[in-house]
Amino acid sequence: APFSPDASSSEAAPRQLLRLAEIGLQDFAFVTLSSVVNELEECAGGAGAQAGFWGRSLAATEAAIRHVGLSGWQSQECALIAQELQECTWTGDESAGLRLMAVLERTRRLCEGYTDAVLALYGERSQVLGNALGVEHHIIQTFCEAEVRANVVFQAAKLCSLQLKMAREGLGFDPWDCLVAGQVQGRLVAVDAIAPGAVPEQFSQEDVVLLVHSASGDEEAAAAGSNIRGVILCHELPHLSHLGVRARQEGVVFATCSDPALVDAVRAFEGQLVSFAAGPDGVHCVESGPQDTLQPGPRSGAALGQVARETTDSLEPQQGPIGEAPPPSDEPAALRDTVYQAYLGDPDNPFRDLDVAGCLNADASHSTPASPERSSGPGSDGAPFVVSADEATLETCGAKAATCGELARLAQLAEGASVFHTPAGACIQFGAMEAGIRSAGRWEEFQGLVAASEHLEGPDLEACCDQLQGLVLSVGIPEDMAEELAGAFASNPRVIVRSSANVEDLEGMSGAGLYDSIANVDASNAEDLGRAVSAVWASLFTRRAVLSRRAAGVGQAEARMGVLVQELLGPDLSFVLHTMHPMTRDRQRLYAELAVGLGETLASGTRGTPWRLEVSKADGAVRTLTLANFSEALQFDPSGPHGGHLQAVPVDYARQPLSTDASARQAVGQQLMHVGTFLEAALGAPQDVEGALVGGAVYVVQSRPQE
């Protein structure tokens, strides 16, 4: 073959000619795209010129992406994008404009990924070679940049960035996206990621606003320092990702910006004091006037700015069946301080007979976890550690498992448009982990490490947490426990193993994403199941979890971990639903985010945008805010391996009704609205609901009090 490395000399000539032709064609494509970019820049100011030029410019973007695919980079992704670009057009219609913006965002993200890969490939190698040859540093940098700027991908990125800007302006959309409203001041510090040590020591005694290059969505702002008051992220992020939810809990003002030019404008303030305000009406970041260096202050005062304060009244019970307050209770006021405490105090509550004294702390403003003695409870007198989900209680299995049991009961009561389903489930109660540690003869060692984790800092805390997790991971589950769990899922052994701690899913302490869940576990395989259960137990002692409990004023020795095992669904779509609008705090408007496949795409904050829907509880009107553009969906292969293995599959949005059909979005939005309002009324307060759509049916896998 002419392209074989060991081709003969007679074959080498045509091979060289073909390679030269390829280089020439790439140069031609680069110049052609450059002319399209220039023409687009010239006509960007006139609406008529824009309308006439859209077809040709989108065809150029499509050709560029097909060219990238020929290089072998994300070939399937390139083909899907090119196909969708063929179907898109600019009409000025909002629905068509949203679809166009979604595919252009996906295109730009592909180009950025290619650029990052090239820089990673050349960066370190060229640095080593340049240093060895005595080449100056700026020349080495120029070499890497030249490899990017001379590529067709560079022109494709410029082209789709211009198209995105024109589409946003044409639709009247803001490139800023507010996740947590408020107004703060602080020193602007640019960082690559939200991580411990990211903020230079020189700014440790000042309030800080972070400008973050990238985030996975599983971080928390407090990890970078207790003085973080605001976060500006340089790419889109699901509002209901773990990072977004935690920022809301921490009182950190949070916004994203999808326009590189605006990001560069903000970056110009690096090291300066800035005023950062975000709200439903827009986002502003400007340099502050001359003033003294800002000293760290409480987040609750700084971050809850005017926008948040003005909407406090909407939290009060409203008139009508949806906003109605729960019926009066004869319980003491202490029993009604939080959502779950009010729920326990409800005379019609099946949890009513629990001894809730251990769940309450009259002096605390947040929910306090139940804390039975480690040596008591299930297993101490031969009682089983494994119970069905509908037998789970707050004190024995945690709020998540108890709520899932209640959801199963509520599913039987739901009627008409509010009908929903729940996956089969079983629970390992509190105390099982401790019993295993005792049986292994490592109880004193465990207690010593837990006590040490109360006060250690920095690397010492990291080492202590590693030791704790290693100890817990070494403790498997007994054979009889594995057999009992396997029996509960005989018809479908694929399960998800989830945390259900006594320090999560509580009012003021949701712990969203703080503890692990392991998907696609084989319940019929004792070894597979045991590894997953141990991993969930061990997640109680990650550094992040320990620090989170410290911040909440919860002692490490009081933390318990139950385990919720549920049937693994194979969803068409996953959703996260807030029954009170998280931004405006409007209890008459519901907010939902959806993605193809498993819900981890939403929770972990994978790069991209979900379908975002707002629904009026009054009349069911659905407003589409964005269309999804995640590049991949997480799925499990029904015939593939277990052990937590998932596969990432490129998404073809041309085949997704939520992207192509407004009536489909209307139907799904109303379906979620009916289920959400039913759960809100049944549980007595606004809810943060996670679930899935399977064959058109709604499945609810979790519901917690909405922060």
Side-chain angles (χ1 to χ4, degrees):
F3 292 97
S4 173
D6 57 354
S8 65
S9 56
S10 62
E11 296 172 320
R15 181 175 63 185
Q16 292 297 329
L17 288 173
L18 285 171
R19 286 184 172 172
L20 287 172
E22 180 187 12
I23 293 171
L25 286 170
Q26 174 150 315
D27 290 343
F28 177 76
F30 185 93
V31 172
T32 302
L33 287 171
S34 179
S35 68
V36 176
V37 168
N38 292 338
E39 188 175 351
L40 193 58
E41 288 175 334
E42 290 175 3
C43 73
Q50 289 180 25
F53 190 62
W54 269 110
R56 189 168 151 217
S57 70
L58 289 174
T61 306
E62 178 202 338
I65 294 304
R66 291 193 186 278
H67 179 97
V68 174
L70 291 173
S71 72
W73 173 259
Q74 302 288 344
S75 297
Q76 189 175 359
E77 172 83 342
C78 289
L80 290 172
I81 290 175
Q83 180 61 38
E84 194 166 8
L85 282 168
Q86 252 188 353
E87 298 179 10
C88 287
T89 185
W90 174 258
T91 63
D93 172 71
E94 182 171 288
S95 183
L98 286 171
R99 186 177 180 194
L100 177 60
M101 288 180 62
V103 69
L104 289 174
E105 288 281 8
R106 187 178 184 181
T107 304
R108 185 170 67 181
R109 193 168 60 246
L110 176 85
C111 295
E112 290 171 351
Y114 184 97
T115 300
D116 291 343
V118 170
L119 292 176
L121 179 65
Y122 282 102
E124 185 177 350
R125 291 173 174 84
S126 61
Q127 187 70 50
V128 171
L129 181 60
N131 290 341
L133 297 174
V135 178
E136 294 182 17
H137 179 67
H138 73 276
I139 297 177
I140 299 173
Q141 283 187 314
T142 302
F143 171 78
C144 294
E145 291 172 6
E147 285 299 315
V148 173
R149 297 178 69 87
N151 197 292
V152 165
V153 173
F154 177 72
Q155 296 291 12
K158 286 180 65 177
L159 185 56
C160 68
S161 292
L162 276 169
Q163 291 165 334
L164 268 170
K165 180 180 179 182
M166 292 168 63
R168 276 196 300 265
E169 291 174 352
L171 294 172
F173 286 0
D174 192 337
W176 287 97
D177 188 17
C178 174
L179 278 73
V180 181
Q183 183 171 352
V184 292
Q185 287 183 311
R187 186 79 59 181
L188 185 72
V189 177
V191 298
D192 288 333
I194 301 173
V199 178
E201 181 65 27
Q202 69 194 85
F203 301 127
S204 62
Q205 300 304 310
E206 297 183 67
D207 287 343
V208 166
V209 175
L210 289 180
L211 178 64
V212 183
H213 177 262
S214 64
S216 69
D218 203 32
E219 305 89 344
E220 58 186 52
S226 60
N227 58 332
I228 305 304
R229 299 292 174 260
V231 172
I232 301 171
L233 181 61
C234 301
H235 60 77
E236 66 282 356
L237 189 79
H239 286 211
L240 305 184
S241 64
H242 293 324
L243 176 55
V245 171
R246 290 171 191 152
R248 193 171 297 113
Q249 294 166 355
E250 295 164 358
V252 175
V253 181
F254 196 160
T256 68
C257 184
S258 56
D259 188 332
L262 285 177
V263 169
D264 289 341
V266 172
R267 197 184 304 277
F269 300 139
E270 185 174 358
Q272 304 300 312
L273 294 174
V274 297
S275 177
F276 172 42
D281 297 328
V283 178
H284 304 280
C285 184
V286 297
E287 188 173 2
S288 294
Q291 55 185 285
D292 295 333
T293 300
L294 296 173
Q295 298 302 314
R299 279 201 184 94
S300 58
L304 300 180
Q306 184 176 2
V307 173
R309 288 198 298 270
E310 288 175 349
T311 57
T312 302
D313 292 342
S314 66
L315 293 171
E316 296 299 322
Q318 307 202 1
Q319 299 298 319
I322 294 170
E324 236 172 61
S329 169
D330 294 331
E331 294 293 339
L335 286 177
R336 300 192 300 272
D337 283 345
T338 68
V339 171
Y340 271 93
Q341 291 165 0
Y343 183 48
L344 287 172
D346 184 349
D348 298 324
N349 183 356
F351 293 172
R352 173 71 179 174
D353 294 332
L354 285 177
D355 175 12
V356 299
C359 301
L360 302 175
N361 180 346
D363 299 325
S365 60
H366 59 264
S367 301
T368 304
S371 53
E373 291 299 318
R374 290 186 188 272
S375 58
S376 65
S380 58
D381 58 358
F385 276 113
V386 178
V387 296
S388 63
D390 58 6
E391 296 176 291
T393 68
L394 179 65
E395 281 202 327
T396 62
C397 297
K400 183 184 293 182
T403 303
C404 286
E406 178 60 11
L407 286 172
R409 287 185 282 273
L410 290 174
Q412 297 177 4
L413 301 176
E415 297 178 342
S418 300
V419 166
F420 68 95
H421 309 272
T422 59
C427 306
I428 301 176
Q429 301 186 74
F430 295 149
M433 176 184 74
E434 290 83 352
I437 293 171
R438 286 179 182 277
S439 297
R442 303 184 69 178
W443 180 247
E444 290 186 5
E445 178 188 358
F446 173 74
Q447 285 189 308
L449 288 169
V450 170
S453 70
E454 289 280 13
H455 58 81
L456 292 176
E457 301 286 351
D460 292 336
L461 175 61
E462 190 78 44
C464 178
C465 291
D466 288 345
Q467 286 180 271
L468 269 169
Q469 291 181 82
L471 189 158
V472 173
L473 287 170
S474 69
V475 177
I477 63 174
E479 186 176 338
D480 58 344
M481 186 184 296
E483 289 176 355
E484 195 168 354
L485 284 169
F489 300 97
S491 60
N492 179 14
R494 286 185 186 268
V495 298
I496 179 167
V497 180
R498 309 175 67 198
S499 67
S500 183
N502 65 336
V503 283
E504 64 176 328
D505 284 25
L506 298 172
E507 177 77 359
M509 195 192 305
S510 77
L514 196 58
Y515 307 106
D516 283 355
S517 294
I518 312 297
N520 198 19
V521 176
D522 185 359
S524 65
N525 184 315
E527 185 178 352
D528 194 19
L529 185 61
R531 278 196 303 267
V533 170
S534 295
V536 171
W537 281 341
S539 69
L540 190 65
F541 301 109
T542 64
R543 178 182 180 277
R544 187 157 57 86
V546 167
L547 291 177
S548 178
R549 291 194 291 274
R550 277 191 199 175
V554 176
Q556 306 304 327
E558 302 305 314
R560 307 285 184 275
M561 180 61 79
V563 179
L564 172 63
V565 183
Q566 288 180 299
E567 172 190 7
L568 181 62
L569 301 173
D572 303 313
L573 301 169
S574 291
F575 66 83
V576 178
L577 173 68
H578 279 190
T579 63
M580 173 177 65
H581 198 290
M583 181 57 59
T584 64
R585 315 301 287 177
D586 183 355
R587 290 191 64 167
Q588 296 303 313
R589 296 196 73 79
L590 174 148
Y591 176 86
E593 293 187 344
L594 303 98
V596 179
L598 295 171
E600 187 61 19
T601 302
L602 290 170
S604 67
T606 305
R607 284 289 301 272
T609 301
W611 288 288
R612 291 187 179 128
L613 306 178
E614 281 183 358
V615 190
S616 168
K617 295 178 182 178
D619 59 10
V622 178
R623 181 188 175 202
T624 303
L625 303 179
T626 62
L627 297 185
N629 63 30
F630 292 118
S631 296
E632 296 175 327
L634 283 176
Q635 300 174 347
F636 69 87
D637 182 354
S639 60
H642 292 76
H645 175 77
L646 298 173
Q647 58 183 358
V649 180
V651 181
D652 183 358
Y653 288 104
R655 297 179 179 274
Q656 292 294 329
L658 289 189
S659 287
T660 61
D661 185 357
S663 65
R665 297 192 291 273
Q666 183 81 7
V668 168
Q670 291 180 351
Q671 189 177 17
L672 295 182
M673 182 269 292
H674 288 299
V675 172
T677 51
F678 172 83
L679 291 174
E680 182 179 66
L683 297 175
Q687 295 293 300
D688 172 357
V689 184
E690 296 180 18
L693 288 164
V694 183
V698 174
Y699 279 77
V700 175
V701 299
Q702 180 174 316
S703 187
R704 59 166 68 97
Q706 184 179 334
E707 293 286 350

